[in-house]
């Protein structure tokens, strides 16, 4: 018997199959000028979901021109109107939340228990930045003796937003909502592995009254559509979320047009658990932060750095919990881990399990694809590995799957050394009841964001971003506005200062 989620999914799939996924330029659904399409398959069962327009340089050019034209009006629209439209976008997202959740689950393999929340998080992102739109232009007053200086912020222009496949819907709203709130217009290039929900998001925005051209969506591959977007002269900035190596490409591609960039890149985040921590809560957080969202989560703690005194007891409980995680069809509300995004990614994650053995680590549970019914999809059993050192590739490379490496430490200095031994620096999690120790570690760990005695809990006004190879720049609240806006200084004289009189008699 079909479940409610499956019924809704098949209804939505019928619609998408009929039309395929098209680009959206100036409010119109269009195929690519090359007429090329590519096929999008589900990681759940390998079945064809739909064909997708493969955008190219010409399509990006049209979209950039449309965003450039729309900038004239959108950047000047009153903030009250902008706020009202963005709230309406949030209303529409909430209206489509169930459809978004089932489609995102089938398209990406993310369990429905998370995609339901991420659709609503997307709406919350729009509401937050809608309310902040009124402050977007605010600046600073810096008076001098004979002049008064003041600053105002102005939207930078049309911007490119390039998103990955791991949480495509939520991450797109996270980037696009602040851009629109400042008065920027957008060309969005969604990931080729997960194109399905991007057009529902755009549909929601247009139904909410967003003028045509303010938000354009071009589907396609990174090397073609993505590259053309980063090189386009009318595009003033690129907000990018994805792999560190792609960030380097984008920096090179954008050099000729002096693109401003904001990068949210890879991670190999540590969770340090001391012997004096609340170990039950730490255990819950460690399991959640690695195995939620199929482990395909940039902020996940993929290295557990565990104090030697509690090592054996903690690892025993952890192994039981990981082995007990419910792997299954992502549309089943009971599923905790679904299939990974694509067969190539499944293969990559499984290759790290093989590598773990070759490097001398020990797999405590998982490390293989499940047999039987789940052998059709891109599933990987939740994997736990001990005996890992930072020199091993599994100890410092990003796996981006349900794969946790455990390391042992004795002293605080050792814990910090292990935590900082990788090239990444996105998040860090510290578990201890000793407040001074927690503060010392928070100060010394190389990460853009640190949580003490907590899993990742996002508060929208706080800065989000990484250090080292994990990113450049910060998102969230005012930080997003700094990226999407230029600060202009205006200096007004009181008429009391002297002006040098060159050439005077
Ligand atoms: P990816 O870098 O392969 O692709 C991301 C996007 O970039 C896609 O839309 C792709 O088409 C595009 N792209 C690829 N090559 C391009 C090029 N040369 N020019 C322009 N665009 C190009 O990343 P992915 O595999 O989709 O996502 C997984 C990665 O994203 C992981 O490394 C993960 O850590 C990272 N991530 C980071 C954060 C964060 O906040 N730091 C959040 C989510 C994901």
């Amino acid at each position: 018997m079909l479940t409610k989620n499956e019924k809704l999914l098949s209804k939505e799939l019928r619609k998408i199959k009929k039309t395929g996924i098209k680009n959206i330029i100036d409010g119109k659904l269009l195929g690519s000028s090359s007429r090329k399409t590519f096929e999008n398959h589900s990681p759940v069962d390998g079945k064809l979901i739909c064909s997708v327009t493969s955008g190219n340089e010409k399509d990006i050019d049209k979209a950039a021109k449309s965003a450039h034209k729309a900038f004239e009006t959108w950047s000047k629209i009153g903030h009250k109107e902008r706020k009202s439209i963005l709230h309406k976008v949030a209303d529409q997202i909430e209206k489509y939340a169930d459809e978004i959740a089932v489609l995102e689950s089938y398209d990406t393999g993310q369990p429905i228990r998370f995609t339901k929340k991420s659709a609503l998080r997307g709406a919350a992102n729009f509401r937050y930045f809608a309310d902040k739109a009124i402050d977007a232009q605010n600046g600073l007053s810096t008076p001098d003796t004979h002049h008064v200086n003041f600053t105002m912020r102005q939207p930078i222009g049309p911007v490119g937003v390039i998103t990955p496949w791991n949480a495509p819907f939520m991450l797109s709203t996270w980037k696009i909502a602040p851009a629109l709130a400042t008065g920027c217009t957008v060309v969005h290039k969604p990931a080729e592995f997960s194109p399905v929900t991007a057009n529902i998001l755009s549909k929601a925005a247009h139904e909410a009254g967003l003028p045509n051209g303010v938000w354009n969506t071009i589907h396609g591959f990174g090397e073609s559509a993505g590259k053309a977007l980063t090189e386009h002269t009318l595009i003033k900035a690129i907000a990018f979320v994805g792999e560190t190596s792609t960030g380097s490409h984008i920096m090179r591609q954008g050099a000729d047009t002096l693109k401003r960039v904001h990068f949210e890149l890879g991670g190999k985040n540590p969770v340090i658990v001391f012997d004096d921590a609340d170990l039950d809560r730490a255990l819950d957080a460690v399991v959640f932060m690695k195995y939620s969202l199929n482990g395909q989560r940039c902020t996940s703690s993929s290295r557990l750095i565990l104090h030697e005194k509690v090592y054996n007891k903690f690892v025993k409980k952890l192994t039981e919990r990981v082995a007990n995680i419910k792997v299954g069809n992502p549309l089943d509300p009971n599923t905790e881990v679904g299939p990974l995004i694509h067969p190539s990614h499944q293969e990559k994650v499984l290759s790290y399990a093989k590598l773990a053995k070759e490097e001398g680590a020990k797999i405590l549970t998982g490390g293989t694809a499940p047999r039987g019914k789940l052998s059709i999809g891109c599933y990987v059993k939740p994997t736990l590995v001990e005996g890992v050192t930072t020199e091993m590739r599994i100890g410092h490379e990003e796996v981006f799957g349900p794969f946790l490496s455990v390391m042992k430490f004795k002293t605080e200095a050792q814990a910090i050394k292990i935590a900082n031994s990788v090239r990444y620096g996105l998040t860090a999690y510290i578990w201890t009841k000793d407040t001074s120790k927690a503060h010392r570690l928070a100060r010394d760990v190389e990460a853009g964001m640190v949580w003490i005695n907590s899993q990742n809990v996002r508060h929208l006004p706080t800065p989000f971003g990484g250090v080292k190879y994990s990113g450049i720049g910060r998102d969230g609240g005012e930080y997003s506005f700094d990226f999407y806006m230029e600060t202009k200084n205006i200096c007004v004289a009181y008429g009391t200062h002297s002006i040098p009189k060159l050439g005077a008699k």
Side-chain angles (χ1 to χ4, degrees):
M1 205 176 68
L2 282 179
T3 64
K4 199 173 136 224
N5 288 336
E6 283 168 330
K7 266 190 209 155
L8 181 59
L9 176 68
S10 47
K11 188 174 138 218
E12 291 303 309
L13 286 179
R14 272 198 299 277
K15 285 194 230 160
I16 293 181
K17 272 212 173 82
K18 228 189 245 171
T19 55
I21 302 245
K22 297 224 158 59
N23 292 336
I24 303 170
I25 304 175
D26 209 24
K28 292 178 208 67
L29 284 164
L30 298 171
S32 169
S33 56
S34 70
R35 295 174 185 270
K36 280 194 185 151
T37 57
F38 62 94
E39 288 189 347
N40 178 35
H41 293 259
S42 169
V44 179
D45 49 18
K47 286 187 184 156
L48 176 71
I49 298 180
C50 59
S51 72
V52 184
T53 293
S54 183
N56 63 10
E57 210 178 322
K58 276 194 188 157
D59 304 318
I60 288 286
D61 185 53
K62 267 195 218 160
K65 284 179 176 149
S66 164
H68 178 69
K69 191 164 152 249
F71 182 72
E72 282 301 307
T73 43
W74 181 247
S75 60
K76 293 190 180 70
I77 207 173
H79 54 70
K80 279 196 189 136
E81 195 175 345
R82 201 177 289 148
K83 173 178 168 177
S84 151
I85 292 176
L86 295 184
H87 270 295
K88 284 184 196 146
V89 177
D91 293 342
Q92 291 304 105
I93 293 175
E94 281 164 4
K95 189 171 127 189
Y96 294 127
D98 287 343
E99 287 87 337
I100 292 165
V102 292
L103 283 170
E104 182 112 317
S105 280
Y106 192 60
D107 195 23
T108 65
Q110 293 290 0
I112 193 88
R113 62 170 70 215
F114 300 120
T115 54
K116 275 226 155 118
K117 285 192 187 132
S118 56
L120 297 176
R121 269 279 304 279
N125 286 339
F126 267 91
R127 288 209 193 286
Y128 174 78
F129 283 108
D131 288 334
K132 270 196 81 65
I134 188 168
D135 294 328
Q137 291 179 17
N138 287 358
L140 196 71
S141 162
T142 48
D144 196 1
T145 316
H146 298 290
H147 298 81
V148 62
N149 287 273
F150 67 95
T151 64
M152 61 167 71
R153 291 188 297 198
Q154 294 177 316
I156 191 169
V159 297
V161 173
I162 303 179
T163 46
W165 46 256
N166 64 317
F169 186 83
M170 205 289 291
L171 282 171
S172 305
T173 63
W174 176 232
K175 297 280 155 190
I176 294 170
L180 297 180
T182 64
C184 287
T185 52
V186 170
V187 178
H188 177 207
K189 211 298 280 170
E192 52 271 41
F193 281 174
S194 59
V196 169
T197 51
N199 282 20
I200 304 185
L201 184 53
S202 165
K203 179 172 114 175
H206 286 97
E207 285 173 356
L210 196 76
N212 289 344
V214 171
W215 180 343
N216 306 275
T217 307
I218 302 292
H219 292 277
F221 295 93
E223 316 82 71
S224 43
K227 182 168 179 283
L229 182 58
T230 61
E231 291 175 341
H232 203 286
T233 43
L234 292 176
I235 299 294
K236 302 298 173 204
I238 295 287
F240 168 73
V241 187
E243 277 193 22
T244 296
S245 57
T246 314
S248 301
H249 282 303
I250 291 177
M251 210 170 223
R252 277 191 288 272
Q253 292 160 194
D256 283 345
T257 50
L258 292 178
K259 231 30 124 235
R260 179 183 291 185
V261 293
H262 180 221
F263 286 166
E264 285 176 10
L265 310 173
K268 186 78 176 176
N269 309 305
V271 50
I272 305 173
V273 179
F274 283 90
D275 51 330
D276 62 359
D278 180 332
L279 295 175
D280 290 337
R281 284 174 73 79
L283 180 66
D284 288 342
V286 165
V287 176
F288 177 75
M289 277 315 298
K290 187 57 254 181
Y291 300 99
S292 57
L293 302 179
N294 298 345
Q296 298 167 155
R297 180 177 190 152
C298 56
T299 52
S300 71
S301 40
S302 49
R303 292 181 296 146
L304 169 60
I305 304 170
L306 194 52
H307 194 273
E308 61 173 15
K309 272 198 196 152
V310 290
Y311 187 92
N312 289 342
K313 212 169 145 197
F314 197 93
V315 169
K316 186 169 178 283
K317 284 190 181 167
L318 178 62
T319 311
E320 281 165 16
R321 286 282 290 274
V322 177
N324 204 29
I325 288 174
K326 292 173 201 75
V327 181
N329 187 315
L331 289 160
D332 180 343
N334 293 316
T335 291
E336 292 171 323
V337 165
L340 306 191
I341 185 73
H342 193 265
S344 60
H345 191 59
Q346 177 195 30
E347 206 176 293
K348 176 185 158 185
V349 174
L350 288 172
S351 78
Y352 275 100
K354 194 166 158 261
L355 182 67
K357 285 186 223 151
E358 286 165 12
E359 290 187 309
K362 185 176 165 200
I363 296 187
L364 296 172
T365 181
T368 55
R371 296 222 179 99
K373 245 170 51 185
L374 298 183
S375 63
I376 303 164
C378 305
Y379 293 89
V380 171
K381 284 189 198 163
T383 304
L384 182 66
V385 182
E386 73 167 348
V388 180
T389 65
T390 50
E391 291 73 32
M392 293 177 183
R393 282 180 53 204
I394 55 159
H396 63 259
E397 290 181 12
E398 184 184 42
V399 180
F400 215 56
F403 188 105
L404 177 61
S405 299
V406 192
M407 294 151 158
K408 201 188 277 184
F409 77 93
K410 190 173 184 172
T411 64
E412 192 179 314
Q414 266 175 357
I416 280 285
K417 193 167 173 218
I418 299 171
N420 292 346
S421 65
V422 298
R423 66 176 189 151
Y424 298 107
L426 188 59
T427 62
Y429 305 86
I430 296 158
W431 287 83
T432 174
K433 283 184 188 154
D434 178 338
T435 323
S436 301
K437 186 160 68 182
H439 278 284
R440 283 195 300 276
L441 269 104
R443 181 195 59 197
D444 294 341
V445 74
E446 291 167 355
M449 295 167 281
V450 180
W451 277 269
I452 294 168
N453 297 328
S454 177
Q455 77 280 28
N456 166 351
V457 177
R458 182 90 189 98
H459 181 45
L460 290 175
T462 59
F464 185 102
V467 300
K468 295 158 84 178
Y469 282 72
S470 285
I472 295 176
R474 295 291 178 270
D475 255 338
E478 286 292 308
Y479 300 90
S480 298
F481 286 173
D482 279 342
F483 176 68
Y484 290 118
M485 302 185 92
E486 295 281 19
T487 297
K488 181 186 275 178
N489 189 67
I490 297 157
C491 179
V492 185
Y494 292 129
T496 55
H497 71 294
S498 65
I499 305 176
K501 299 181 190 302
L502 297 188
K505 283 199 178 150

